[in-house]
Amino acid sequence: MGRHYAQLGALAHLSVVSIVTRPEFFSYVVTGSERKSWLQGLLTANVSHVAPGLGAWSLALTKLGKIVADLWLLENSEGELWIGGTEASAGAFRRYLEAFLIMEDSEFRDASAEHIWQFAAGEGAISLVSQLAQKGVAWGALPAVEQSVVAWVMRRTDELPALAPGDSTIEWVSSAEAWLRLRITLGIPLLGVDFSADDNPHQVSLERRAIDWHKGCYLGQEVVCMQEMRGKVKRRLVRLRLETAQPPAVGAPVLAPDGSTAGELTSTVSDGGTTLAFARLKAPYFDGSVPLSIGGASAQLMG
């Protein structure tokens, strides 16, 4: 689908808008007069704020505050709500919606076969996507991730615009490595890769990014609030920059100065002469006060 491919560096170094295609994402479309109020009581984002041009990052939780799915929310000009997420959580999230759709004037359908998700990063992404998105297509900036990141949904049969000769403004990126580099740079962990359904938002460092603390009640809110008041987390997902050009294997141990295991890597990717990684660390190693290393290479926590 892409007409030009490029390696995607850290977002801070982007001088162009890079568009990453995620063909494996599911797409559920929610309609009905009570679509927003229904989802507002289920998801951690403030669904009432989602509008054409403004999306949201959200979670679906169990009553015990465990993560069922990590989600992206968009709305098109026709008022349809679009929900996207990783393939690993598609089935569980579908069962989740079916279980809680009882009397509401809402319905949802699976549009995954006909549509594909895109993420655009870099200055000018909002302006660019607003021009690329056709009428009826959902798109929106993702302020909880980064002001210069936009998601949108396009039909799988649509062609992306071709680049003019010498055009360096846009890069179409299709490789899994580029998506991995982008999501670590932006701090986007994935269910089934960097965390599991046994984790809660605090353990995945999403309590300030995928949860709106000013909205009304949602499923799992009581447990999330109790965790916030306690303030103690036994393990936490963090981002690391490793001083090595060769990414260590996923699962490699993160070591404390005394040689004890502080945690393990969940995702790694090269980034120039260094490596970016997600790692699950035990307390107290995720506060940045103790030097860490992996395979002899030093590791620094990314902000």
Side-chain angles (χ1 to χ4, degrees):
M1 179 174 292
R3 298 180 182 270
H4 179 77
Y5 302 91
Q7 292 300 311
L8 186 64
L11 183 64
H13 301 135
L14 289 179
S15 58
V16 298
V17 175
S18 294
I19 301 176
V20 182
T21 301
R22 298 319 309 152
E24 79 282 7
F25 273 32
F26 67 79
S27 295
Y28 292 162
V29 185
V30 185
T31 57
S33 63
E34 297 179 321
R35 63 194 181 282
K36 285 194 173 182
S37 59
W38 173 51
L39 292 175
Q40 184 79 333
L42 293 179
L43 306 182
T44 62
N46 195 326
V47 183
S48 65
H49 290 173
V50 177
L54 181 62
W57 190 4
S58 187
L59 301 172
L61 306 177
T62 68
K63 293 180 180 179
L64 298 179
K66 304 297 184 181
I67 300 174
V68 175
D70 51 321
L71 308 164
W72 308 99
L73 310 181
L74 301 173
E75 185 178 52
N76 64 12
S77 58
E78 299 171 359
E80 296 175 326
L81 284 172
W82 287 70
I83 305 177
T86 57
E87 186 178 29
S89 61
F93 184 58
R94 183 184 186 91
R95 293 188 294 273
Y96 182 89
L97 291 179
E98 290 173 341
F100 292 104
L101 183 54
I102 303 173
M103 299 292 292
E104 295 81 4
D105 179 21
S106 299
E107 59 182 25
F108 71 95
R109 62 182 176 87
D110 189 343
S112 307
E114 301 85 30
H115 292 82
I116 192 169
W117 282 71
Q118 309 272 358
F119 290 82
E123 292 185 13
I126 294 177
S127 175
L128 174 66
V129 174
S130 67
Q131 298 174 47
L132 292 179
Q134 300 178 18
K135 183 178 180 181
V137 173
W139 72 277
L142 302 172
V145 183
E146 183 80 28
Q147 290 292 345
S148 53
V149 178
V150 182
W152 93 95
V153 184
M154 63 178 287
R155 301 174 187 88
R156 291 182 184 269
T157 56
D158 288 345
E159 286 288 334
L160 290 169
L163 291 175
D167 188 348
S168 59
T169 304
I170 308 171
E171 293 177 338
W172 308 119
V173 184
S174 66
S175 73
E177 182 182 19
W179 166 239
L180 176 56
R181 187 177 296 110
L182 176 64
R183 70 177 189 81
I184 296 179
T185 299
L186 297 174
I188 302 175
L190 294 186
L191 179 63
V193 177
D194 301 300
F195 65 97
S196 73
D198 293 327
D199 289 308
N200 63 45
H202 287 80
Q203 293 168 333
V204 191
S205 298
L206 292 182
E207 76 277 10
R208 289 291 178 272
R209 310 185 71 203
I211 294 177
D212 189 309
W213 289 88
H214 302 290
K215 64 171 287 183
C217 297
Y218 57 85
L219 194 67
Q221 182 186 40
E222 183 178 355
V223 178
V224 171
C225 290
M226 288 176 61
Q227 175 65 74
E228 178 74 6
M229 289 186 289
R230 285 198 300 265
K232 293 184 179 180
V233 181
K234 293 183 179 180
R235 64 180 185 274
R236 196 168 178 88
L237 188 73
V238 301
R239 293 179 300 153
L240 298 175
R241 183 177 292 277
L242 318 181
E243 296 303 320
T244 175
Q246 182 61 44
V250 169
V254 180
L255 302 180
D258 62 2
S260 61
T261 300
E264 63 179 19
L265 300 179
T266 62
S267 292
T268 64
V269 67
S270 62
D271 185 46
T274 63
T275 291
L276 303 179
F278 272 120
R280 294 169 62 91
L281 301 183
K282 299 181 293 187
Y285 301 109
F286 49 70
D287 66 3
S289 62
V290 178
L292 301 172
S293 64
I294 299 97
S298 63
Q300 291 79 40
L301 268 68
M302 297 172 61

XYZ file of all heavy atoms in Angstrom, residues 156-195:
309
model
N -9.279 -0.144 3.003
C -8.157 -0.939 2.513
C -8.005 -0.833 1.001
O -6.922 -1.042 0.460
C -8.326 -2.402 2.928
C -8.164 -2.638 4.429
C -8.296 -4.111 4.784
N -8.227 -4.316 6.228
C -7.109 -4.560 6.907
N -5.956 -4.627 6.256
N -7.132 -4.729 8.215
N -9.077 -0.508 0.329
C -9.029 -0.398 -1.131
C -8.554 0.968 -1.614
O -8.271 1.139 -2.804
C -10.420 -0.674 -1.720
O -11.377 0.220 -1.128
C -10.841 -2.116 -1.468
N -8.456 1.953 -0.708
C -8.024 3.291 -1.102
C -6.520 3.314 -1.324
O -5.759 2.621 -0.647
C -8.394 4.326 -0.041
C -9.882 4.594 -0.001
O -10.569 4.211 -0.966
O -10.349 5.176 0.999
N -6.093 4.136 -2.249
C -4.675 4.318 -2.520
C -4.167 5.548 -1.771
O -4.810 6.596 -1.780
C -4.431 4.499 -4.027
C -4.568 3.226 -4.840
C -3.410 2.268 -4.599
O -2.321 2.743 -4.231
O -3.597 1.051 -4.777
N -3.001 5.387 -1.157
C -2.356 6.552 -0.571
C -1.790 7.422 -1.687
O -1.383 6.911 -2.727
C -1.223 6.119 0.360
C -1.656 5.443 1.665
C -0.440 4.824 2.349
C -2.323 6.439 2.586
N -1.763 8.742 -1.479
C -1.238 9.629 -2.526
C 0.215 9.308 -2.842
O 1.012 9.010 -1.955
C -1.368 11.024 -1.898
C -2.415 10.877 -0.848
C -2.254 9.493 -0.320
N 0.540 9.359 -4.119
C 1.932 9.120 -4.529
C 2.783 10.339 -4.198
O 2.300 11.477 -4.208
C 1.978 8.843 -6.027
N 4.042 10.084 -3.884
C 4.969 11.180 -3.620
C 5.478 11.759 -4.930
O 5.809 11.023 -5.865
C 6.152 10.689 -2.795
C 5.866 10.295 -1.347
C 7.135 9.727 -0.722
C 5.391 11.485 -0.556
N 5.528 13.069 -4.985
C 6.117 13.709 -6.154
C 7.629 13.509 -6.122
O 8.216 13.344 -5.053
C 5.775 15.199 -6.161
N 8.299 13.498 -7.278
C 9.771 13.345 -7.297
C 10.440 14.384 -6.419
O 10.161 15.572 -6.513
C 10.107 13.552 -8.784
C 8.861 13.163 -9.515
C 7.728 13.602 -8.625
N 11.291 13.918 -5.534
C 12.018 14.831 -4.651
C 11.237 15.270 -3.436
O 11.739 16.051 -2.627
N 10.006 14.798 -3.281
C 9.191 15.177 -2.130
C 9.718 14.492 -0.876
O 9.760 13.276 -0.800
C 7.741 14.777 -2.370
C 6.793 15.318 -1.303
O 7.285 15.808 -0.266
O 5.577 15.254 -1.511
N 10.134 15.280 0.110
C 10.676 14.718 1.359
C 9.790 15.072 2.549
O 10.207 14.989 3.690
C 12.093 15.255 1.608
O 12.079 16.667 1.691
N 8.545 15.474 2.265
C 7.644 15.890 3.334
C 6.970 14.710 4.023
O 6.703 14.740 5.211
C 6.567 16.835 2.765
O 7.208 17.929 2.129
C 5.665 17.347 3.875
N 6.685 13.662 3.256
C 5.954 12.513 3.773
C 6.755 11.241 3.555
O 7.391 11.071 2.520
C 4.592 12.362 3.074
C 3.799 13.669 3.121
C 3.785 11.237 3.698
C 2.556 13.637 2.255
N 6.715 10.343 4.555
C 7.304 9.017 4.422
C 6.242 7.980 4.779
O 5.666 8.033 5.863
C 8.503 8.846 5.359
C 9.682 9.730 5.001
C 10.817 9.590 6.003
O 10.544 9.172 7.141
O 11.954 9.910 5.638
N 5.942 7.074 3.863
C 5.055 5.955 4.165
C 5.911 4.833 4.734
O 6.860 4.392 4.105
C 4.338 5.472 2.914
C 3.625 6.543 2.133
C 3.875 6.917 0.856
C 2.548 7.353 2.592
N 3.013 7.919 0.479
C 2.192 8.208 1.523
C 1.848 7.445 3.798
C 1.168 9.140 1.621
C 0.838 8.378 3.893
C 0.488 9.203 2.820
N 5.582 4.395 5.908
C 6.398 3.398 6.609
C 5.568 2.146 6.862
O 4.493 2.231 7.447
C 6.908 3.957 7.952
C 7.834 2.953 8.626
C 7.639 5.276 7.728
N 6.067 1.001 6.427
C 5.271 -0.215 6.578
C 5.938 -1.277 7.431
O 5.300 -2.241 7.816
C 4.962 -0.820 5.204
O 6.151 -1.270 4.590
N 7.216 -1.144 7.740
C 7.922 -2.225 8.425
C 7.534 -2.333 9.893
O 7.204 -1.337 10.553
C 9.436 -2.017 8.318
O 9.858 -0.955 9.149
N 7.571 -3.554 10.406
C 7.289 -3.789 11.817
C 8.322 -3.096 12.695
O 8.013 -2.625 13.792
C 7.269 -5.291 12.092
N 9.560 -3.028 12.216
C 10.620 -2.378 12.983
C 10.340 -0.885 13.168
O 10.543 -0.330 14.249
C 11.972 -2.569 12.293
C 13.138 -1.952 13.054
C 14.459 -2.107 12.340
O 14.447 -2.365 11.130
O 15.514 -1.958 12.992
N 9.838 -0.252 12.120
C 9.531 1.181 12.208
C 8.403 1.443 13.198
O 8.451 2.403 13.976
C 9.158 1.714 10.825
N 7.373 0.590 13.178
C 6.273 0.734 14.130
C 6.775 0.517 15.550
O 6.415 1.251 16.474
C 5.167 -0.247 13.790
C 4.119 -0.438 14.851
C 3.791 -1.598 15.458
C 3.256 0.553 15.429
N 2.783 -1.420 16.377
C 2.427 -0.100 16.378
C 3.103 1.922 15.232
C 1.473 0.578 17.120
C 2.144 2.587 15.985
C 1.339 1.919 16.910
N 7.637 -0.462 15.747
C 8.194 -0.737 17.068
C 8.994 0.462 17.566
O 8.870 0.876 18.728
C 9.066 -1.985 17.019
C 9.815 -2.382 18.289
C 8.860 -2.558 19.452
C 10.619 -3.658 18.053
N 9.801 1.040 16.689
C 10.614 2.198 17.081
C 9.715 3.375 17.455
O 9.961 4.079 18.436
C 11.560 2.579 15.937
C 12.567 3.661 16.327
C 13.533 3.949 15.191
N 14.358 2.786 14.883
C 14.254 2.049 13.764
N 13.350 2.372 12.850
N 15.036 1.017 13.562
N 8.667 3.587 16.677
C 7.762 4.693 16.959
C 7.045 4.503 18.291
O 6.963 5.422 19.107
C 6.734 4.836 15.841
C 5.663 5.905 16.057
C 6.300 7.292 16.099
C 4.594 5.846 14.979
N 6.525 3.316 18.535
C 5.731 3.138 19.747
C 6.589 3.152 21.013
O 6.120 3.608 22.061
C 4.867 1.879 19.655
C 5.560 0.557 19.701
C 4.531 -0.580 19.661
N 5.117 -1.882 19.903
C 5.396 -2.367 21.104
N 5.147 -1.640 22.171
N 5.931 -3.560 21.244
N 7.833 2.700 20.937
C 8.696 2.837 22.119
C 9.032 4.306 22.336
O 9.019 4.806 23.461
C 9.976 1.989 21.983
C 9.630 0.504 21.930
C 10.914 2.260 23.167
C 10.848 -0.407 21.776
N 9.331 5.015 21.250
C 9.618 6.446 21.357
C 8.467 7.196 22.010
O 8.665 8.072 22.858
C 9.888 7.044 19.962
O 11.032 6.405 19.383
C 10.143 8.541 20.045
N 7.244 6.828 21.644
C 6.059 7.507 22.164
C 5.528 6.894 23.447
O 4.594 7.416 24.046
C 4.949 7.488 21.105
C 5.245 8.236 19.812
C 4.128 8.011 18.810
C 5.451 9.719 20.075
N 6.105 5.766 23.873
C 5.642 5.115 25.091
C 4.316 4.413 24.921
O 3.432 4.525 25.773
N 4.158 3.673 23.810
C 2.922 2.942 23.541
C 3.186 1.446 23.700
O 3.652 0.788 22.761
C 2.390 3.227 22.124
C 2.150 4.726 21.928
C 1.109 2.442 21.864
C 1.745 5.098 20.516
N 2.927 0.869 24.864
C 3.103 -0.577 25.043
C 1.931 -1.335 24.438
O 0.847 -0.775 24.250
C 3.127 -0.738 26.560
C 2.251 0.377 27.053
C 2.462 1.523 26.092
N 2.146 -2.605 24.136
C 1.093 -3.408 23.530
C 0.750 -4.606 24.396
O 1.640 -5.295 24.903
C 1.522 -3.889 22.139
C 1.716 -2.830 21.052
C 1.981 -3.511 19.721
C 0.522 -1.898 20.956
N -0.549 -4.843 24.506
C -1.032 -6.011 25.218
C -0.586 -7.271 24.485
O -0.653 -7.348 23.260
C -2.557 -5.967 25.302
C -3.256 -7.134 25.991
C -2.855 -7.203 27.453
C -4.773 -6.993 25.861
N -0.117 -8.252 25.235
C 0.384 -9.479 24.648
C 1.841 -9.419 24.266
O 2.433 -10.437 23.893
N 2.432 -8.227 24.351
C 3.852 -8.053 24.034
C 4.593 -7.484 25.247
O 5.531 -8.091 25.755
C 4.047 -7.122 22.819
C 5.532 -6.879 22.551
C 3.370 -7.719 21.585
N 4.165 -6.315 25.698
C 4.830 -5.642 26.818
C 4.099 -5.823 28.138
O 4.666 -5.561 29.193
C 4.956 -4.144 26.514
C 5.740 -3.893 25.241
O 6.908 -4.309 25.182
O 5.179 -3.306 24.300
N 2.863 -6.231 28.087
C 2.114 -6.493 29.314
C 1.025 -7.504 29.016
O 0.777 -7.854 27.847
C 1.536 -5.202 29.903
C 0.496 -4.522 29.046
C -0.855 -4.724 29.277
C 0.860 -3.662 28.015
C -1.819 -4.094 28.511
C -0.095 -3.029 27.239
C -1.438 -3.245 27.486
